[in-house]
Amino acid sequence: MNWDEAIQGLDERRKRALAGGGRSKIEKQHQNGKMTARERIEMLLDKDTFVEVDGFVESRIDDFDLDKRRVPGDGVVTGYGEIDGRVVFVSSEDFTVIGGTLGEYHSFKICRIQDMAMQMKAPLICINDSGGARIEEGISSLSGYSGMFLRHTQASGLIPQIAVILGPCSGGACYAPAICDFIFMVKDISKMFITGPNVVKTVINEEVSVEELGGAKVHAEKSGVSHFTYDTEGECLMGVRKLLSYLPSSNSEKPPLLNTRERQNRLSDVGKVLGFRSKAHKIKDIVPDNSRHAYDVKEVIDCIVDEGSFFEVQKEFAMNGVIGWGRMEGRVVGFVANQPNVMGGSLDYHVSDKIARFIRFCDCFNIPLITLVDVPAFLPGTAQEHNGIIRHGAKILYAYSEATVPKISLIMRKAYGGAYIAMNSKEMGADIVYAWPIAEIAVMGADGAVNIAFKRKIKAAENPEAMRQQCKAEYEERFLNPYVAAARGYVNEVIKPEETREALIKALHGLKNKKADQPRKKHGNIPL
């Protein structure tokens, strides 16, 4: 073969690979509101940075007429590129080729990219759009999933792993995204379910739509499987880019630092000159001093972080707790907060899982934690007990105790009982604990405590209600204030609300070089 023939053959093979499943199938993909595998990579990565790996790999199965549908690439595009100048590795399943089904060499390509990501200590992004295991390849297809699951587990805590569901993802295929750190989904496009809707109808004799079974809304609000939901694929891929701007490339690095300190100082100086009231002073307007009145804790977070920097995770699931990242003088910080607007901010079994997993992720990737506490209790009731609130609540205790990153707590109002302990209390390993002057730290609130501790005294009084109010005032003075905790060293400092941001920044600065040695062991056994 001469040079001209060889180059012509290469060009033809490249053309076949780029064409995917062909024009008609690409048009159908577009008609369904979906981009192709390559279009997604092009939008996700910095321009002209994508380098494809194993583009000519093909299935070796030639029966079931599979050879007629076979094209170079085997239904998945893999390689690496850059996001904001940092290297990432990516796989993108191609639904136009044999429905994006996973076979022996399809999985081989993904496993190779997983190995490369681990070796290079760079984030891994897997875009899922697949009909599942390729039936024609039998056990080889199932074995392919096994190899992927193993590598996702090995990479856990080493590099950030992000799954993007942009089409169907069913059966065993769901567990690759489930092992990843974060799952992105798009309304009306993304589908995740272990058992297909036709099987469900047969088993339970009930009409179930695909969306009801495993659409983006279900996994964002009910199951808690997904972490971010968007209206379009384009917005979703931009969301992935935004997420990575808060994360280090691996566990051996710290998160990216933005140089915002000078800008923040200039804005503060301008505000003083013009007489503007700073966000720090608005906290008292947001948080009522009556602990029975609710407020939105996300407004408090916005007053603390750099302007517009808070990025919430799982905002539609277990909304009695808020998790996410913000920046403080350009440094990334993880936030965990009770949400008084929902269930009074109490801890239930769902929010326990949500909080614990976020704590552990931040600890894996060197992200300091700030905990905003306003919690009345672990939610009582038979439903909670029967769904394992004891087991799930223990996950928060375990996650905070295990974490070695800087841990700072701010007790804003209520901090009662076991929930106070769980929310990063001092003896649980918090490095610094602040409290506002209105903070109430005790076994329980004044009303419940008085009814128990002073029951006989109130009953014997000539005016029981007056005695009850007197006992309540005595209890509040003696126990229900932050100065009692501060006197015992359980609170390091009582601060004014307007001092919060400055105090937290100083604490983060003082703890930035923290190193904590853990006992030697293979690993702990978190109560899953």
Side-chain angles (χ1 to χ4, degrees), residues 1 10 22 29 38 54 176 182 202 243 251 322 358 384 386 464:
M1 181 182 295
L10 173 61
Q29 184 88 339
R38 294 183 182 276
D54 293 328
F182 300 102
T202 302
L243 169 62
N251 66 345
V322 174
F358 182 75
Q384 290 297 311
H386 293 174

Side-chain angles (χ1 to χ4, degrees), residues 12-23 25 38 52 54-61 65-77 94-100 105-106 109 134 137:
E12 289 176 356
R13 188 165 288 272
R14 282 179 173 175
K15 187 176 180 180
R16 284 183 62 209
L18 291 172
R23 176 53 52 191
K25 291 188 177 180
R38 294 183 182 276
E52 188 166 359
D54 293 328
F56 293 154
V57 166
E58 295 183 21
S59 170
R60 60 179 173 176
I61 305 299
D65 292 326
L66 192 61
D67 57 326
K68 297 177 182 178
R69 295 176 284 159
R70 193 168 58 198
V71 297
D74 202 28
V76 62
V77 182
D94 189 348
F95 196 78
T96 70
V97 178
I98 323 177
Y105 280 94
H106 181 120
K109 290 179 64 176
R134 190 175 298 164
E137 297 200 23

Side-chain angles (χ1 to χ4, degrees), residues 251-460:
N251 66 345
S252 62
E253 299 180 8
K254 290 189 176 182
L257 173 64
L258 295 186
N259 186 17
T260 61
R261 184 167 187 170
E262 291 183 7
R263 179 174 178 272
Q264 291 289 334
N265 289 340
R266 285 199 301 271
L267 290 174
S268 178
D269 292 340
V270 170
K272 290 176 183 177
V273 172
L274 298 179
F276 295 154
R277 195 174 185 208
S278 71
K279 278 195 170 185
H281 285 79
K282 291 181 181 179
I283 291 178
K284 284 194 292 187
D285 299 332
I286 297 169
V287 182
D289 51 17
N290 185 333
S291 62
R292 294 178 177 272
H293 294 175
Y295 62 93
D296 186 352
V297 76
K298 286 186 273 190
E299 293 182 22
V300 176
I301 295 174
D302 285 337
C303 291
I304 294 172
V305 300
D306 296 349
E307 186 73 28
S309 69
F310 185 59
F311 187 35
E312 188 175 359
V313 181
Q314 287 187 299
K315 63 182 178 181
E316 296 170 302
F317 175 69
M319 294 188 292
N320 45 320
V322 174
I323 58 174
W325 302 281
R327 290 189 177 89
M328 302 193 71
E329 293 193 331
R331 298 184 184 277
V332 176
V333 180
F335 281 85
V336 175
N338 306 115
Q339 176 57 289
N341 260 354
V342 181
M343 297 162 53
S346 55
L347 299 174
D348 69 342
Y349 59 90
H350 276 323
V351 86
S352 297
D353 286 1
K354 172 178 168 177
I355 288 173
R357 193 164 191 268
F358 182 75
I359 293 167
R360 300 192 88 207
F361 177 85
C362 289
D363 189 48
C364 284
F365 293 102
N366 311 308
I367 301 174
L369 286 161
I370 290 177
T371 304
L372 304 182
V373 185
D374 191 348
V375 63
F378 280 100
L379 190 66
T382 55
Q384 290 297 311
E385 298 292 353
H386 293 174
N387 281 286
I389 184 61
I390 297 171
R391 172 169 52 88
H392 291 279
K395 297 176 188 179
I396 301 182
L397 301 168
Y398 192 103
Y400 270 126
S401 299
E402 179 188 48
T404 59
V405 292
K407 295 177 289 186
I408 304 165
S409 288
L410 170 65
I411 301 172
M412 300 183 295
R413 294 196 310 184
K414 300 182 296 296
Y416 297 156
Y420 152 70
I421 299 171
M423 291 299 290
N424 196 38
S425 58
K426 186 66 177 178
E427 296 306 303
M428 281 278 294
D431 297 297
I432 298 288
V433 177
Y434 294 114
W436 287 343
I438 61 170
E440 302 175 356
I441 308 167
V443 175
M444 62 177 65
D447 290 327
V450 166
N451 290 339
I452 296 172
F454 300 98
K455 181 178 180 180
R456 292 182 180 178
K457 187 175 181 179
I458 293 171
K459 187 176 181 180

